[in-house]
Amino acid sequence: MTPNFRSGFVTIIGRPNVGKSTLVNRLVGHKVSIVTSRPQTTRNRIQGIVNRPNAQVILVDTPGIHRADTALARQMMDEVNHALEGIDILAVMIDASEGLRHEDRLALERGRHHRGPLFLLLNKIDRMSKPALLPLLEVCSREAQFTEMIPVSALTEDGVSLVLDRLVASLPEGEPLFPADQFTDQPERFLAGEIVREKAMRATRQEVPQAMAVLVENFDEDPKLLRISVTIQVEREGQKGILIGRGGQTLKEIATAARKELEEILGIKVFLEVRVKVQPNWRDDPRRVQQLDWRRQLEQLSDEQ
Ligand SMILES: Nc1nc2c(ncn2[C@@H]2O[C@H](COP(=O)(O)OP(=O)(O)OP(=O)(O)O)[C@@H](O)[C@H]2O)c(=O)[nH]1
Ligand SMILES: [Mg+2]
C-alpha cells in the first residue's frame, strides 16, 4: 500500500439550492454537475473525483432534500438514500447567508444518523458579514456532533481548499479507487443531456424549469464530429411554447449555449439537435421518471448491444 495515501467517499447533502453542485465542481476542477439559481436542479447522484498526490476523494453530489410529492421527487430522494450507503464522510451543507432554516432539518436529521465523520459546510459566506458567522456556528453546533464546521464560499472559492484538506484528513488510509484520469462516473452522453437541461432551466422561470426533462436520443461520435440529439420533455403545451419562444428564438439560444459549452468540455465539434415534446404529468408517472435514471438507461443500452 502507498504509505499515508487516503481515499474514500464523501457525500454532500442539503436542502435545494444551497450550492452542493457548485462546490463539487469547484473541488473537482471540472463541471460534473449542472448549476442553476433554481431549486431542485440536481436529480441524480453524481460522483466527482478529486485526485491529489496524497489522496483520492470521491465526492457524491445529491439532489436537494425536500418533501417528496411526485414520483420524480421520490426518485430524487431515493438517490439521496443510495448516496448515503457505504460512505466514509457525510457533509451537510447549509446556506449560511440565510441562517439555519426549517427546511434544513431533513438534511440535519440524516446527518445525526450517520456513523463516521460528519461535516457541516456553511456555504455562501460571500453574502454575509463575518461577525454574523459566530452566532450561526453556535446555533449549528447544538444540532449535531460535527467533526468539522467549515464556512466556505463555493462561488468565490474562499475556504474551498480548507474543505478539501479537512476532508482528506478525515478519510481512512487506502489505495485510489478510480484511475487518476477519471473525474466522474457520469458518462458524457448523459452530461450532454444535463448541459441542455441547465441552459433550458436558466432560460425559463416559474414552474417551467422543474417541469422539464431531457432525454438523449442519439450520441454518435466520429473522429471529427459528435452528433447529439435530445428531446426536452415538458408537461404542457404552454410550457412547450415558452421553451420554443417567439419564432423559435429561445430554443435556438438554449441549443447554441449548450453546443458551445459541450464543445469546450468535450474538445470536439458538436452537432446538437434539440426537440421539444409534451408528455402530460410525466413527473407523476413512475415509469417515465425511471427512464431518466441514467444508471438504468446504461443497463438498457448494454442489454441492446
Ligand atoms: N453567492 C453565492 N452563491 C452561490 C454559492 N454557491 C452556489 N451559489 C449559487 O447558488 C445557486 C444554487 O447552486 P447549486 O450548486 O445549483 O445548488 P445545489 O445545492 O446543487 O442545488 P440543487 O441541485 O437544486 O439541490 C446557484 O445560483 C449558484 O451560483 C456561494 O458560495 N455564494
Ligand atoms: Mg445540485
Side-chain angles (χ1 to χ4, degrees):
M1 203 163 102
T2 324
N4 303 324
F5 196 91
R6 294 177 186 275
S7 65
F9 288 84
V10 179
T11 291
I12 305 179
I13 60 169
R15 68 179 164 90
N17 217 36
V18 293
K20 301 176 291 297
S21 302
T22 307
L23 182 70
V24 169
N25 290 339
R26 281 279 189 262
L27 288 169
V28 174
H30 288 276
K31 181 151 171 177
V32 299
S33 198
I34 61 168
V35 169
T36 80
S37 58
R38 327 268 181 236
Q40 298 167 33
T41 297
T42 305
R43 288 181 178 163
N44 292 102
R45 63 189 195 277
I46 299 168
Q47 293 176 2
I49 303 156
V50 188
N51 288 294
R52 287 289 178 274
N54 62 336
Q56 184 175 72
V57 186
I58 300 119
L59 300 162
V60 188
D61 186 21
T62 60
I65 300 179
H66 63 286
R67 202 169 54 84
D69 52 359
T70 60
L72 173 64
R74 277 192 290 282
Q75 174 159 301
M76 285 159 71
M77 296 311 103
D78 282 349
E79 288 284 298
V80 175
N81 292 335
H82 277 297
L84 295 173
E85 290 164 12
I87 56 167
D88 299 287
I89 302 174
L90 180 60
V92 176
M93 183 182 275
I94 64 166
D95 178 341
S97 70
E98 297 196 327
L100 197 62
R101 299 257 296 246
H102 187 64
E103 297 92 317
D104 293 311
R105 78 193 184 285
L106 294 169
L108 287 166
E109 184 64 39
R110 282 180 161 85
R112 284 190 285 268
H113 285 106
H114 173 69
R115 286 178 199 189
L118 176 65
F119 279 48
L120 183 72
L121 305 176
L122 302 100
N123 193 32
K124 306 199 187 182
I125 54 165
D126 56 287
R127 276 196 181 164
M128 64 190 294
S129 69
K130 284 258 147 69
L133 254 176
L134 223 58
L136 181 60
L137 285 165
E138 169 78 34
V139 168
C140 291
S141 64
R142 283 185 230 131
E143 290 292 325
Q145 283 281 345
F146 294 109
T147 316
E148 305 265 358
M149 295 196 290
I150 310 178
V152 62
S153 168
L155 198 70
T156 66
E157 301 202 38
D158 189 8
V160 167
S161 63
L162 178 71
V163 170
L164 188 64
D165 289 347
R166 302 316 302 157
L167 288 174
V168 170
S170 285
L171 281 178
E173 286 196 6
E175 294 291 320
L177 302 161
F178 290 89
D181 59 352
Q182 187 177 342
F183 56 84
T184 183
D185 63 339
Q186 180 180 236
E188 288 173 352
R189 178 188 177 104
F190 300 103
L191 175 68
E194 287 291 87
I195 298 288
V196 174
R197 192 163 64 88
E198 178 187 84
K199 305 310 170 205
M201 283 185 79
R202 288 182 178 187
T204 54
R205 55 202 76 246
Q206 286 164 354
E207 92 288 359
V208 187
Q210 278 91 15
M212 291 187 301
V214 174
L215 294 160
V216 181
E217 319 278 1
N218 232 321
F219 190 87
D220 280 331
E221 190 167 358
D222 65 36
K224 289 215 179 102
L225 183 70
L226 176 60
R227 288 171 199 278
I228 307 171
S229 42
V230 307
T231 301
I232 306 179
Q233 177 173 291
V234 289
E235 292 195 312
R236 291 202 299 271
E237 283 298 333
Q239 296 164 348
K240 180 174 172 179
I242 291 168
L243 205 54
I244 291 173
R246 195 167 294 164
Q249 193 57 30
T250 309
L251 192 64
K252 207 167 135 191
E253 282 167 18
I254 291 167
T256 304
R259 177 182 55 76
K260 282 190 177 151
E261 185 165 334
L262 282 166
E263 287 182 338
E264 207 180 289
I265 295 177
L266 304 175
I268 184 169
K269 198 166 163 44
V270 170
F271 176 78
L272 174 65
E273 199 177 18
V274 184
R275 292 198 193 87
V276 183
K277 183 173 96 177
V278 178
Q279 191 63 255
N281 301 323
W282 67 263
R283 278 181 291 178
D284 293 316
D285 181 344
R287 229 171 22 102
R288 299 233 175 262
V289 166
Q290 270 183 17
Q291 285 175 347
L292 301 174
D293 176 350
W294 62 258
R295 288 181 181 83
R296 212 180 285 257
Q297 284 186 49
L298 265 188
E299 280 167 24
Q300 279 167 5
L301 285 171
S302 64
D303 285 350
E304 283 165 16
Q305 275 161 15

